[in-house]
Amino acid sequence: MGTKRKKNKDDKYAHKKHNEKSPVKAKKYLGQHFLKDEGIAKQIAETLLQKDYKNVIEIGPGTGVLTKYLLLRDSNLVAMDLDSESITYLNEKFPLEHPKAFEGDGTFKVIEADFLNYDIFTLFGDEQFGITGNFPYNISTQIVFKMLELRNHVPEFSGMFQKEVAQRICSSEGSKAYGILSVLVQVFYDAEYLFTVDPIVFDPPPKVQSGVLRLTRKTKFELSCDEQLLYRVVKAAFNQRRKTLRNSLKTFTLSDNLREDTIFDLRPEQLAVDDFVALTKKIADDTL
């Protein structure tokens, strides 16, 4: 059952200093690096604009430093983690240590589960929901692909990644970082790289910088090509990114007439997202 919270808009709580001693031990096998900077936690919570929805999933809440700022936004929040120690803390001690976070209009539910394999529709039914979190770096890309499967129900997605991964997701054509993830995300979402986070604000500090992004689903958007074929084209192209499309797409059975199209003289990083959609349509309509 969700925990009902009473109404109180006291934002002074947002300036409370986070306890330096972590109430949960970070586990290396789960890729945990707990955020301990209150200001950054508040910034991440604010990346979800929540204009037309109230339901939110937080992946990997850990010690709850981000969780309490999401609760202050009166969200119907589900915190999902694989760490049983974190689940116990969030259910038992967290509400006692942060009582003001529970004085709003939303609800709070903690689930010990793997986001990648969980039936999300048991949480909110057919309602829309946002996703955020300080994502474990070892599964962050998988989380994005899972989100894409759920995109009809996810108007916003934000959170913290390894910096290079966040930049890759948000990069445009012509960039060395531009690749499979960039195209497949930006077909459906507008992507913004928001800010960089130094390792020092984590316990334990990771060996890399982190980056926070926001993805906003495109409105009134319909994909004008076959989705599975688009995935095949994009992956085949970038798996041999130094080659022209004429060479990297040799495994596709294409007519000589289509192969003469000047788009095949380009390398994949030279194509914008819309170009990949147009190319996929050409391949689908091609007749030998």
Side-chain angles (χ1 to χ4, degrees), residues 220-231:
K220 298 180 181 178
F221 173 80
E222 288 187 19
L223 184 61
S224 58
C225 69
D226 181 81
E227 183 176 341
Q228 291 186 341
L229 181 57
L230 173 65
Y231 276 50

Side-chain angles (χ1 to χ4, degrees), residues 142-156:
Q142 294 170 264
I143 289 172
V144 173
F145 279 116
K146 177 70 173 181
M147 180 276 297
L148 289 177
E149 295 176 10
L150 300 167
R151 65 180 181 272
N152 290 334
H153 291 82
V154 185
E156 282 187 307

Side-chain angles (χ1 to χ4, degrees), residues 86-267:
S86 175
I87 297 297
T88 299
Y89 167 72
L90 291 172
N91 273 322
E92 297 177 3
K93 296 182 180 179
F94 177 76
L96 301 176
E97 294 175 3
H98 307 287
K100 283 190 177 295
F102 291 84
E103 293 179 352
D105 273 348
T107 60
F108 182 47
K109 188 175 184 179
V110 184
I111 297 177
E112 184 175 353
D114 179 0
F115 172 77
L116 298 177
N117 297 300
Y118 193 81
D119 183 359
I120 300 299
F121 298 109
T122 61
L123 300 177
F124 306 119
D126 202 41
E127 296 179 9
Q128 300 285 289
F129 57 89
I131 299 174
T132 192
N134 174 23
F135 304 121
Y137 295 157
N138 55 345
I139 60 167
S140 61
T141 299
Q142 294 170 264
I143 289 172
V144 173
F145 279 116
K146 177 70 173 181
M147 180 276 297
L148 289 177
E149 295 176 10
L150 300 167
R151 65 180 181 272
N152 290 334
H153 291 82
V154 185
E156 282 187 307
F157 174 98
S158 71
M160 184 135 50
F161 292 78
Q162 182 175 331
K163 181 181 178 181
E164 287 74 12
V165 176
Q167 289 177 325
R168 190 182 310 145
I169 293 170
C170 300
S171 63
S172 302
E173 70 274 16
S175 165
K176 290 182 179 179
Y178 186 65
I180 295 172
L181 203 55
S182 319
V183 175
L184 298 183
V185 168
Q186 292 178 44
V187 166
F188 305 105
Y189 287 83
D190 294 320
E192 304 170 80
Y193 184 92
L194 300 177
F195 57 91
T196 300
V197 182
D198 289 328
I200 195 172
V201 302
F202 295 93
D203 177 28
K207 296 180 180 179
V208 295
Q209 286 190 314
S210 302
V212 176
L213 60 72
R214 174 172 57 223
L215 307 179
T216 306
R217 190 178 60 203
K218 295 178 179 179
T219 57
K220 298 180 181 178
F221 173 80
E222 288 187 19
L223 184 61
S224 58
C225 69
D226 181 81
E227 183 176 341
Q228 291 186 341
L229 181 57
L230 173 65
Y231 276 50
R232 285 178 55 208
V233 169
V234 172
K235 289 179 179 179
F238 281 105
N239 281 339
Q240 301 183 70
R241 63 181 301 140
R242 293 185 179 182
K243 296 184 178 181
T244 64
L245 295 174
R246 186 169 286 106
N247 290 314
S248 60
L249 300 183
K250 275 184 176 180
T251 56
F252 290 80
T253 305
L254 305 176
S255 67
D256 292 338
N257 184 54
L258 179 57
R259 286 188 182 280
E260 291 175 3
D261 193 307
T262 55
I263 196 171
F264 286 93
D265 296 327
L266 302 176
R267 292 188 299 275

Side-chain angles (χ1 to χ4, degrees), residues 1-6 54-56 67 70-71 74-79 101-102 104-110 123-124:
M1 294 291 291
T3 303
K4 185 69 179 177
R5 298 181 290 115
K6 298 178 182 178
K54 195 172 181 178
N55 305 320
V56 175
T67 308
L70 294 169
L71 288 169
D74 289 346
S75 305
N76 293 328
L77 179 64
V78 173
F102 291 84
D105 273 348
T107 60
F108 182 47
K109 188 175 184 179
V110 184
L123 300 177
F124 306 119

